Amino acid sequence: MALRLLRGKDGRLTAYASATGGVARWTEDRPGGSSWTGPWLIEAPGLLQLTVAQGTDGYAHLVGKRRTEGKDGPRIDIVHATQFQTGRPLTAWHSLGSPHPKDRAKAQRIGAPAAAVDSTGALRVFVRNAGGGVSARRQDPKGTWDRWTDWKGTHVQDGLSAAATADGRLELFAPAGKGAALRWYQPEPGAAPQRGEDVPADVRPGSASAVESSPGTLTHYWRDAGSGEVLAWRPDAPAAAPLGGATGSGPVAVVRAVVDGHDCTVLAHRDTASGRVAVAAHPSEDEAAGVWWTPSGEQGAHTPALALDGRGQVVVAALGLDGRLLVARQKTDEAGLALRAWTRVGSG
């Protein structure tokens, strides 16, 4: 998975990344501070892919795709664990099975999970199923899980992107074949999700992400399958807006932040041309203002993540070639999006 960086209710940041034997976790010692604890290994043998979702309560939901070996061959299932407080242990991993409980061969063809929490506090988990559609499972606010449901769809590729607005309206963006992406959304908080119009897009699998770019509006990002350029789209936009970054790889990390007193969207990805993390910013929902990608940090840094710390400053994190966490923070005494020196956290 891409590195994930979340802020807890106490203002401290936590970073999560896949590691041998499970998930590596690093935790800020104090909000906005320079010292971190970690990595601490969250054991999860057989974990193949992982995502982390967070609701307004601050709980971190870890959802992964797991492979285990049995007497009758390998088994694939989706697993879930919850971290209720920053720096605290997680619950035990709980198996959610798969959309194909009676067909092990089909279960092996499901995609990586995506997850988001809606306004009711319900967690929804999504996977591409063996038939090329989307299957979902919901945990209600009391912790009870519904059965897997088929959300339909065709030609869905791997790399689903799920997100929610501040008022808890969930959206799912699913790359699909034939020059389109599928989209489901909640028209209002707590409403039943419904299928939206297909998004004209030729999406590179595994490159989609999203951020709330204004109150109640999510902007979706992806890489063009042909050029690799980053594109941005939101409902009611006439077309996807080009953002350059064709030499980048993987999904774009994105966060909304205040830069020089202006509401901006900050982006980060791994730039394969320089071998470093590249960062850019533009006024929120004004992609036409232009985007300039600036390489930063050391060679080989990858899977960047973005978040606002407890002081409201932009934090960029990435993994070094040695597996250590690399962190840079926004400077507040310079114009534009300037970063302080990168620091290395913990041991690999």
Side-chain angles (χ1 to χ4, degrees), residues 30 99 101 113 147 160 163 193 204 229 276 286 302 322 326 333:
R30 61 182 177 84
R147 295 181 178 181
L160 305 180
R204 182 171 293 181
E229 182 175 28
R276 302 159 72 192
D286 186 11
H302 59 97
D322 58 2
L326 307 172
D333 54 356

Side-chain angles (χ1 to χ4, degrees), residues 76-78 95-103 106-107 110 137 148:
I76 296 291
D77 64 348
I78 301 298
S95 176
L96 306 183
S98 87
H100 312 287
K102 297 181 180 180
D103 193 324
K106 285 185 176 180
I110 65 174
R137 196 166 182 188
W148 285 100

